[in-house]
């Protein structure tokens, strides 16, 4: 939310990266007009800020007509998980 607010305040174009919990603020993301990259969500959350991540975010963003891409963090994670994104 802070990144969206600052981008709007300073008229900066923004792309939301690692938007792992974007489904929790879907209305704000939609209203912002910014695109997002979601993920990675193929593994169990390893950080506090990813504790609510879910693969359902892609479906939620699609239902709300929010343009998004899916991030795998390859080569950090094994590329076999890329199949799960398709």
């Amino acid at each position: 939310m802070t990144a969206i607010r600052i981008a709007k305040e300073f008229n900066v174009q923004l792309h939301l990266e690692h938007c792992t919990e974007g489904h929790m603020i879907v209305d704000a993301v939609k209203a912002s007009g910014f695109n997002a990259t979601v993920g990675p969500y193929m593994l169990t959350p390893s950080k506090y800020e990813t504790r609510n991540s879910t693969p359902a975010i892609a479906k939620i963003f699609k239902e709300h007509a929010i343009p998004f891409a899916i991030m795998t963090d390859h080569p950090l994670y094994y590329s076999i998980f890329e199949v799960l994104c398709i």
Side-chain angles (χ1 to χ4, degrees):
M1 299 281 295
T2 301
I4 292 171
R5 180 184 54 78
I6 291 171
K8 292 290 187 178
E9 181 178 341
F10 293 99
N11 196 29
V12 175
Q13 186 61 22
L14 180 70
H15 185 97
L16 301 166
E17 297 288 330
H18 283 98
C19 196
T20 54
E21 294 184 339
H23 61 287
M24 299 175 74
I25 57 166
V26 70
D27 293 330
V29 174
K30 174 70 175 178
S32 75
F34 297 134
N35 298 339
T37 301
V38 299
Y41 52 75
M42 288 75 69
L43 303 173
T44 57
S46 59
K47 297 181 266 185
Y48 182 77
E49 63 267 20
T50 62
R51 69 192 179 282
N52 295 309
S53 64
T54 174
I57 190 171
K59 179 181 178 192
I60 294 166
F61 274 26
K62 183 177 180 183
E63 290 172 348
H64 286 83
I66 299 171
F68 70 94
I70 297 173
M71 173 182 296
T72 63
D73 271 2
H74 178 70
L76 183 62
Y77 295 120
Y78 297 109
S79 60
I80 192 162
F81 293 119
E82 292 173 9
V83 176
L84 300 175
C85 296
I86 300 173

